[in-house]
Amino acid sequence: MSKKLLFVIALGGIVLGLNGCQWWPLKQQNKELAIIINHADPLSVQIGQYYRQKRNIPTNYILEIIFDPSVTTLSPKDFARIKQEVDALTPPDVKGYALTWTKPYRVDCMSITSAFALGFDTSHCAKGCQAIAANPYFNSNRSQPFLDFGIRPTMTIAATSFEDAKALIHRGLASDYTHPQGTAYLMDTKDKARNVRSSLYSTTIKQLSAKIPIEVIKDNVLKDKKDVLFYFTGVSKVGQLDSNRFLPGAIADHLTSFGGQLTDSGQMSSLEWLKAGATGSYGTVVEPCNFVQKFPHPGIAMYHYLQGDNLLHAYWKSVAWVGQGIFIGEPLARPFGNLDNH
């Protein structure tokens, strides 16, 4: 075969290849979520940029703000300035926010995620054992919370190192559309004050046992389980977390007073769930008392997740009084979504 003919064949192949590329659709950008970065916090910037790339979020959906990254609590005045800047920068079609830091986790008496979602409002706070304002998104069948309720659910991609943040993000990505075959573990603990969600278990089993295996464990500790998809308990500190294997997309939390104090809790920080392999968790940042309404309802969280909601929306729908609690994890994890309808 002549060199000229070989050249023509090769050139034809290149042209066909280039023409073929024109028919290959570009991956659709994810415009559901805006990422809020603290430009004064190098780790926040690093996490935000990495998450944007991995989730194919447009560059103009990164909202950069500046505040002191060393404090655990923002004042209402400082937050008002930040929120005004965020509102001005937010594209109109954004349905929720991802934060990229562990501190601050509070705005005065509210959690940082609730403050960004709802705006700072003392009706979502309480001194002592008091009810607080209702979460309008609670157990909703809607999927457009900003259009329907004027709120943008918020979760923070919480990590104290970039390696931990990357691992969390990768677990979320690995979970998408996989319909994992895991088990829901509902702990019936001996801690009477923190075991109040056990009253919800019978209804949860009745409504969801046909969709997922559910085990109620009468103990303070779950150990040596290799298929954990949901883990709900009520204790101040959870033992033997590392003995279990959390599936990508797993949700896990413990009902206690200060789990949401991510970096300086006198109890177990909710961050420990993520370090152990969970993809999402929740905790309260100020004393909530043991109102079940201030913590995720296991059955409601599981129901909406199993119905195809992503982690951000399923978790937000599970807390009736949300002002004092912080959501942490990889917000776009969607194990039970339908890829055809994505």
Side-chain angles (χ1 to χ4, degrees):
M1 188 179 291
S2 70
K3 290 184 178 180
K4 182 177 181 181
L5 182 57
L6 284 171
F7 176 78
V8 170
I9 292 171
L11 181 62
I14 292 170
V15 171
L16 285 172
L18 291 174
N19 286 339
C21 287
Q22 294 175 4
W23 294 98
W24 190 260
L26 294 172
K27 184 180 178 183
Q28 186 175 0
Q29 288 192 305
N30 192 323
K31 295 185 176 182
E32 176 177 336
L33 200 67
I35 305 169
I36 304 176
I37 287 174
N38 180 8
H39 198 65
D41 180 350
L43 180 57
S44 174
V45 175
Q46 194 175 18
I47 293 170
Q49 293 291 354
Y50 189 78
Y51 190 59
R52 186 199 72 76
Q53 294 167 7
K54 289 298 180 181
R55 280 298 188 184
N56 197 29
I57 294 170
T59 54
N60 63 313
Y61 280 54
I62 286 196
L63 316 181
E64 293 196 25
I65 54 179
I66 296 177
F67 57 87
D68 184 354
S70 69
V71 299
T72 60
T73 305
L74 286 175
S75 71
K77 181 180 178 181
D78 286 342
F79 180 74
R81 171 187 62 80
I82 292 166
K83 185 66 162 60
Q84 186 176 29
E85 292 173 5
V86 165
D87 288 346
L89 292 169
T90 301
D93 52 350
V94 165
K95 296 164 73 174
Y97 293 124
L99 314 181
T100 59
W101 62 80
T102 57
K103 290 192 300 186
Y105 52 72
R106 281 174 61 178
V107 178
D108 192 43
C109 50
M110 288 182 75
S111 78
I112 193 81
T113 53
S114 292
F116 271 108
L118 304 165
F120 180 76
D121 183 344
T122 55
S123 70
H124 292 283
C125 304
K127 291 183 179 180
C129 296
Q130 302 292 329
I132 59 175
N135 171 14
Y137 203 33
F138 177 66
N139 202 22
S140 170
N141 62 1
R142 305 295 184 92
S143 60
Q144 301 284 343
F146 187 70
L147 292 177
D148 293 329
F149 307 111
I151 70 170
R152 288 188 168 103
T154 304
M155 178 174 285
T156 186
I157 304 170
T160 54
S161 74
F162 185 52
E163 289 305 313
D164 283 350
K166 284 201 300 183
L168 171 61
I169 291 165
H170 290 174
R171 289 197 297 274
L173 288 162
S175 76
D176 288 351
Y177 316 114
T178 55
H179 293 256
Q181 301 299 304
T183 299
Y185 293 98
L186 309 180
M187 305 302 292
D188 186 359
T189 74
K190 299 173 183 178
D191 187 331
K192 290 184 179 180
R194 298 179 177 89
N195 192 42
V196 289
R197 287 190 295 184
S198 63
S199 64
L200 308 172
Y201 292 170
S202 59
T203 302
T204 298
I205 292 168
K206 183 178 180 181
Q207 295 181 346
L208 295 178
S209 59
K211 296 180 178 291
I212 185 173
I214 301 173
E215 290 188 29
V216 176
I217 308 289
K218 289 185 175 293
D219 203 335
N220 284 10
V221 175
L222 182 73
K223 56 185 178 180
D224 300 327
K225 301 297 184 182
K226 305 304 178 187
D227 63 344
V228 180
L229 189 55
F230 299 98
Y231 182 169
F232 296 102
T233 188
V235 287
S236 60
K237 296 184 179 181
V238 183
Q240 301 199 39
L241 279 180
D242 291 341
S243 76
N244 301 297
R245 185 172 74 89
F246 293 86
L247 301 182
I251 295 175
D253 63 56
H254 60 308
L255 189 152
T256 194
S257 295
F258 304 118
Q261 295 184 353
L262 300 180
T263 58
D264 57 349
S265 179
Q267 300 175 340
M268 189 186 93
S269 165
S270 298
L271 205 55
E272 295 302 315
W273 290 106
L274 303 188
K275 291 179 179 179
T279 304
S281 192
Y282 173 94
T284 48
V285 301
V286 294
E287 176 60 65
C289 298
N290 61 348
F291 290 105
V292 292
Q293 297 96 325
K294 294 184 180 182
F295 293 87
H297 185 304
I300 292 174
M302 291 163 59
Y303 171 78
H304 288 287
Y305 212 35
L306 294 167
Q307 287 292 105
D309 275 358
N310 64 29
L311 175 63
L312 175 66
H313 292 279
Y315 227 1
W316 257 85
K317 289 177 180 181
S318 75
V319 184
W321 301 345
V322 77
Q324 294 170 276
I326 185 169
F327 295 92
I328 63 175
E330 200 283 89
L332 293 177
R334 198 170 178 229
F336 296 95
N338 185 342
L339 187 58
D340 294 335
N341 295 327
H342 181 55

